[in-house]
Each structure stands twice: as structure tokens, then as C-alpha cells.
Amino acid sequence: MEAATNVLQFSSAILSIQTKKLSPFPSSSASIQLQNCRRLHIIKSPKPLQCINSKHTSPNTIVLENQQYNNGPVIIRKKLAVFVSGGGSNFKSIHQGCLQGLVFGDAVVVVTDKQGCGGAEYARDNEIPVILFPKPKDEPHGLSPSDLVTALRELEVDFILLAGYLKLIPVDLIRAFPRCIFNIHPSLLPAFGGKGYYGMKVHKAVIASGARYSGPTIHFVDEHYDTGRILAQRVVPVLANDTAEELAARVLKEEHRLYVEVTMALCEERIVWREDGVPLIQNRENPEEYS
């Protein structure tokens, strides 16, 4: 729990922080499910995604079997930071995936701009530290961008997952965690994205446009809203008499599934980069197939 102790240096900004005991494996089924995986660095092309802490040693590791090598490669259990502004339903799905052994990682901290939101409350209920960011003008608590980077590094965070977080991510954070920050958006980007397109506004715009399909997009985060490289999408039909609420519910259901699947791929190091800079997800059962 050294990382959790270190972050106490920022105690004036942390709303709730309790120690969380992490077991090396969430369940015996976790290692079984990962037996047939192959770590991506054994293939020459595409190039694998490198996480910030990929070289760190940790007791939370697994050795994956590989048909081509006698000694399988080691994958370290990943540490996830989740950013929320609202109810945090995607965060809850990811957290449950970790607890159930589907995701070889753990949510070690939640960052929020709204200390009373449902996602922050869920984190506190599950003994996950909560950090307020950005620092409100009328609040004594909260971190600056540089302090946030320091706190996440102290916690040895590998990946940052935005799950309904509405603030623009500062450049400091993007540069500190290159190709390690992800967001989920409730439309098929690049359509219906950008500043002002969030929540129910997206679904109303989709219906008003006459689009026949919508669905969630997971993309890398850059310095602008919704313009980073697309990593994964899931298509959802827009029905003739849909209301924005009905479409939103259908898309959200797929968001929960897609974000867990992508987080699984991240933690299993199955994200690769094509030579032209397009990110792909390697199939778990067949490493020669990508999506």
C-alpha cells in the first residue's frame, strides 16, 4: 500500500481515501481465461501499445502460455484511474469486470470534478480513493494539473479511462500519459462529437439528423474534444419512432459491454498500432486477427 500512502501528500485535495487490499488474482478463473493469450511484443507488426508502467516489477503478474515459445511472456496486473462526472455506470461496469476476473487490472483511484456525483459515491463505498479535479475556485480542495500528474504517477497508474467525465483533459496529463488515456462517447465518431456534444444532446442530434445508426465509440484522448484516434465502436440501430431517452438507453447498454471488452484488451496488452498510425485490438483466440 506504499502508493496509497504516497498520495496522502495530497490529502488536502483528496475527498475520500481508504486503503484497498488487492489480491494478486481476482479469482482462479482469471488466470485460466488468459491462458491462451499471447503478448503483442512477440510480433513484428503492428507495434504494441506501451503502458507507462510496463517495465515495473510487481507480484501481481501472470505468465501467458505461447505455442511458439517455451517460456511465456509476463503481463503485469494494470492499475487504472477512472474519471467521472456523473452516475458512473461505465465505471461500475469496469469495476465489476475487475472484481469478476474479466479484467486483469484494478481501479486504484477515481478522479471527479463533482465530489457528490454517483460515480464518486460508488468509489467511496468500494474503498477506492477519490480525487477532486480540477480545483474549483470556491473549494479549498482539489489538485492542479501538475499535482494530478504527480498523484497518478505516485499511484503507478497505467491507463486513464474517462467514463462520463465532462472536462477537457489538460495538456500536462496528455503529455505525461501518452497513448494511455481513453474516452467513451455515445455516438459513432467523428459524427456528433466535439465541444457541446455530450449526454442527451448527442442522442437528440442523432435522431434529428435522420441517421439510421448510432452507437458508442472508444477513442484515445488528445488535446481536443472527441478528436483522438478511434479504437473501438459498436453499432446500434436508430428506430423510426425512437425518443432520445430510448436511444440513449440502447447505446448505454452497449457502452457497458464495449468499455469492459476494451479494458480487457488494454490490461492484456492486446492493443497494437498499424504502420499508418491506426490502433487495432488483437483477437484473444487468434492473434493474427484484429478489430
Side-chain angles (χ1 to χ4, degrees):
M1 298 312 300
E2 182 179 352
T5 303
N6 290 338
V7 84
L8 286 173
Q9 298 172 30
F10 306 95
S11 58
S12 63
I14 297 178
L15 307 180
S16 174
I17 181 168
Q18 299 100 351
T19 57
K20 180 185 178 185
K21 186 176 182 180
L22 302 179
S23 61
F25 301 97
S27 70
S28 59
S29 63
S31 57
I32 295 174
Q33 291 171 347
L34 296 172
Q35 288 288 320
N36 296 322
C37 296
R38 298 167 177 81
R39 192 176 183 181
L40 300 185
H41 70 247
I42 67 174
I43 61 176
K44 294 183 179 180
S45 180
K47 295 181 180 180
L49 173 71
Q50 295 293 324
C51 68
I52 294 298
N53 293 314
S54 60
K55 296 182 180 179
H56 289 183
T57 58
S58 168
N60 297 326
T61 61
I62 54 173
V63 178
L64 305 185
E65 292 182 351
N66 189 286
Q67 296 177 355
Q68 300 178 22
Y69 297 86
N70 293 327
N71 297 320
V74 173
I75 289 183
I76 300 171
R77 190 173 183 85
K78 301 301 185 287
K79 297 181 180 181
L80 311 173
V82 186
F83 285 42
V84 299
S85 291
S89 64
N90 274 304
F91 161 47
K92 295 173 186 176
S93 295
I94 293 168
H95 181 243
Q96 288 301 312
C98 296
L99 296 179
Q100 293 167 12
L102 297 175
V103 176
F104 196 66
D106 297 286
V108 297
V109 66
V110 165
V111 177
T112 183
D113 61 320
K114 298 180 180 179
Q115 56 180 316
C117 72
E121 291 296 334
Y122 177 85
R124 284 189 281 265
D125 289 343
N126 286 273
E127 300 183 344
I128 300 173
V130 176
I131 292 176
L132 181 63
F133 177 83
K135 182 178 181 179
K137 294 180 180 179
D138 57 346
E139 280 274 357
H141 305 294
L143 297 183
S144 67
S146 61
D147 284 343
L148 178 62
V149 169
T150 300
L152 296 181
R153 282 177 170 167
E154 289 288 342
L155 288 167
E156 298 184 346
V157 166
D158 293 295
F159 298 114
I160 296 171
L161 308 177
L162 310 188
Y165 186 73
L166 301 181
K167 296 293 185 179
L168 189 66
I169 300 302
V171 175
D172 293 19
L173 193 60
I174 294 170
R175 292 177 179 172
F177 290 86
R179 290 185 172 182
C180 292
I181 308 177
F182 303 84
N183 181 49
I184 189 163
H185 184 77
S187 76
L188 296 175
L189 293 176
F192 309 105
K195 187 175 182 179
Y197 278 100
Y198 61 89
M200 206 59 65
K201 293 181 179 181
V202 173
H203 305 297
K204 289 179 179 178
V206 169
I207 292 174
S209 74
R212 295 332 192 241
Y213 296 95
S214 188
T217 298
I218 294 178
H219 64 93
F220 286 83
V221 173
D222 59 17
E223 299 175 12
H224 308 283
Y225 285 109
D226 306 326
T227 58
R229 284 287 192 175
I230 292 172
L231 179 59
Q233 292 181 312
R234 188 67 52 80
V235 175
V236 171
V238 180
L239 305 181
N241 298 314
D242 261 344
T243 64
E245 289 74 17
E246 290 169 337
L247 178 58
R250 195 178 306 117
V251 171
L252 185 60
K253 186 176 181 180
E254 293 303 322
E255 285 184 37
H256 295 164
R257 294 173 179 171
L258 186 62
Y259 222 165
V260 171
E261 291 175 11
V262 168
T263 307
M264 289 169 60
L266 284 173
C267 293
E268 294 168 19
E269 302 185 9
R270 291 189 286 112
I271 309 300
V272 300
W273 291 85
R274 210 166 63 188
E275 290 184 0
D276 61 356
V278 173
L280 302 171
I281 298 176
Q282 187 179 42
N283 185 286
R284 175 187 274 182
E285 277 68 39
N286 186 354
E288 303 302 320
E289 294 183 359
Y290 304 90
S291 59

